[in-house]
Amino acid sequence: MSAPTAAPTVGRRPTWWSRNRFPVLASLAFAVLMLAAVALTVRSSDRPLAPDNPRPAGAQAAAEILRSQGVEVRPASSLADVGALAGPGSTVLVVDPGLLSVDQRAEIVATGADLVIAGDPFTDLEGFGVPLLTSGAGSADPVDAACADPDAVAAGRVGFTRGSVGPADGVTGADEAVVCFPVGDGDGGYAVWSDGARTVRYLADERLMTNEFLAAEGNAALTLRALGRHDVLVWFLPGAVDTTSTGASVPLVPPAATAALTVLAAAALVLALARGRALGPVVTEVMPVVVRSAETTRGRGRLYRRSGAHDHAAASLRAGTADRLARTLGLPRSAGPDALLGALARATGRPDPGLRQLLYGPPPTSDAALLALSAELDALESEVHQ
C-alpha cells in the first residue's frame, strides 16, 4: 500500500503591502527620527567671531545683547550677501579683512553703510578709503580711552590691545581721525574717521569682541556702542575664497553640477528599487510523498556504512546517548563529562573508568565493534531508566 500524499494547499496570494510593510514602516520611522533629530539640533558655528559661536573665541554674546537692544543682526558670508543686506543707515562689521582684496573692500565701501573693521596687527586698510595706517604696537595691560570719542569715553578703558592704528601722515583727512586708547607715538587701539557721509571705526584687537573677553574692563561698552549705532548690523565673515561681487549672486553649486547630481540620485533610487523588489510570492512546494523520520535515519545509516564512517556513526550514537542520559538524571545542558560520569556511577553502580571508555573512548573500527557499542549504550540507558 503506497504512502498517502499531502493535499496541495491553495491560499490567497499575498499583497505587496503584506510582503513589504515591515521594511516600509521601518524606513518611515527612521526618516521621522532623522528629521526630528535634525530639527531639534541646535546649530552653532565654531568660527572665531561668528555671531552664532558660543565658544570663547566666538562672539555670540555680543550678537545676542545687540538683538536684545533692538538691533537686527544679519549674518553675511559673501560680498553678494553684503550688497543685498547693507546700505545707507546700516552698519557693516568686517571680520578678517585680510581675506578681502582691494577691489572687494571698495565694493563694501560702495554700499554706503558705516563700517566697523575688526583688524589685527598684520591687516592693512587699503581699499577701505580711510586715512589710517595699522602697526604692531600694543599693550597687554588695560589702556585708558584718552580721547573725545563718545564710545571710547563710555568704555573708559579696554583690557588690552594687540596691534594699533593711527593717522596716515600726509593723507587728506588724516587730521580728522580720532585715535583712542593710545599705545604708541600717535597710535592707539581704536580709531574713528568720518567724511560726513559715512563713518569708519577700526578696532585693532578683535579679541575685545569675543565671548571670553567681552566682560573685561570696558570691552563690552566699546563693542556694543560701535556696532549698535544703527538698527541694522550686517555681520560679514568673508570666506577664504570669495569671487562674487556685491551686485551679483552666484550659486554655491553650478547648475550643471546640480543636474548631474539629480540624475545620479535618480539612478541610485531606480537601482535600489530594482535590487530590492521582491521576486514574487513564496511558492509552497507540494511534497510527492510523506517521508517518515525512520526512513531518514536508515538512509543516514546506509551512507555511514557505505563510506565506512564508523567514527562519525559512533560519535552520533554517543552524543545522543549522553544527551538523553543527562536529561534523565536532571543535569543541565552545560554539565561536562565529569559531572555526567559521576551521576551515572551513582545511578548504575558502574565504575567511572568503564563508563568513560563507553561514552568517550576511541571509535570502533568495524561494523561488529560499532554494533557492540550500540548495544552497550542501549543497555546503559536501560539501567538508568530502571
Side-chain angles (χ1 to χ4, degrees):
M1 180 182 236
S2 62
T5 60
T9 302
V10 179
R12 185 178 63 181
R13 179 175 178 175
T15 62
W16 181 91
W17 172 249
S18 63
R19 296 195 310 269
N20 300 281
R21 61 184 175 187
F22 178 75
V24 170
L25 293 176
S27 300
L28 289 176
F30 179 77
V32 170
L33 291 176
M34 290 297 295
L35 291 175
V38 171
L40 296 176
T41 299
V42 178
R43 296 176 176 83
S44 62
S45 172
D46 58 358
R47 180 171 176 176
L49 290 181
D52 58 347
N53 183 356
R55 297 170 178 82
Q60 187 179 48
E64 292 302 321
I65 295 174
L66 288 168
R67 289 190 177 99
S68 67
Q69 294 177 350
V71 178
E72 182 182 355
V73 179
R74 300 176 177 178
S77 59
S78 67
L79 288 171
D81 294 338
V82 175
L85 299 174
S90 64
T91 303
V92 175
L93 168 63
V94 182
V95 179
D96 291 332
L99 297 177
L100 300 173
S101 66
V102 174
D103 293 337
Q104 291 173 327
R105 296 175 179 183
E107 292 186 30
I108 297 176
V109 173
T111 62
D114 288 350
L115 301 182
V116 176
I117 304 171
D120 59 59
F122 308 103
T123 299
D124 65 79
L125 299 176
E126 185 179 2
F128 286 114
V130 292
L132 300 173
L133 289 177
T134 60
S135 68
S139 173
D141 299 321
V143 184
D144 293 328
C147 69
D149 178 72
D151 298 338
V153 171
R157 65 177 182 175
V158 294
F160 50 82
T161 178
R162 178 182 58 186
S164 60
V165 62
D169 296 336
V171 178
T172 303
D175 55 348
E176 299 176 1
V178 179
V179 178
C180 304
F181 308 102
V183 293
D185 187 11
D187 292 341
Y190 178 73
V192 181
W193 175 83
S194 177
D195 61 359
R198 66 188 182 98
T199 301
V200 178
R201 296 174 173 85
Y202 181 82
L203 185 64
D205 195 339
E206 76 282 359
R207 294 180 301 165
L208 301 179
M209 302 168 49
T210 62
N211 301 325
E212 182 177 6
F213 299 111
L214 186 65
E217 301 294 341
N219 298 353
L222 181 64
T223 298
L224 299 176
R225 288 175 66 93
L227 297 179
R229 283 289 178 177
H230 298 289
D231 293 336
V232 174
L233 170 64
V234 179
W235 199 299
F236 180 35
L237 288 87
V241 178
D242 187 357
T243 58
T244 63
S245 66
T246 56
S249 178
V250 178
L252 296 178
V253 181
T258 302
L261 291 175
T262 303
V263 172
L264 290 176
L269 178 61
V270 172
L271 179 62
L273 292 175
R275 296 296 299 270
R277 65 183 296 272
L279 299 178
V282 178
V283 178
T284 303
E285 183 179 359
V286 179
M287 299 295 292
V289 294
V290 176
V291 180
R292 295 181 174 86
S293 59
E295 294 294 333
T296 304
T297 304
R298 293 191 185 97
R300 180 176 296 180
R302 293 190 188 99
L303 291 175
Y304 282 150
R305 181 176 184 181
R306 184 180 303 172
S307 60
H310 303 98
D311 52 347
H312 288 289
S316 298
L317 290 173
R318 284 168 164 165
T321 301
D323 184 63
R324 291 188 296 272
L325 289 174
R327 290 200 303 269
T328 301
L329 296 172
L331 298 177
R333 296 179 62 87
S334 58
D338 293 337
L340 176 61
L341 292 174
L344 285 174
R346 291 189 297 270
T348 61
R350 294 192 184 191
D352 180 89
L355 293 173
R356 186 178 297 274
Q357 177 71 17
L358 177 59
L359 288 174
Y360 303 105
T365 57
S366 63
D367 290 348
L370 180 62
L371 183 61
L373 175 64
S374 175
E376 292 181 16
L377 292 173
D378 185 63
L380 177 62
E381 285 195 64
S382 298
E383 291 182 31
V384 172
H385 283 295
Q386 290 177 358

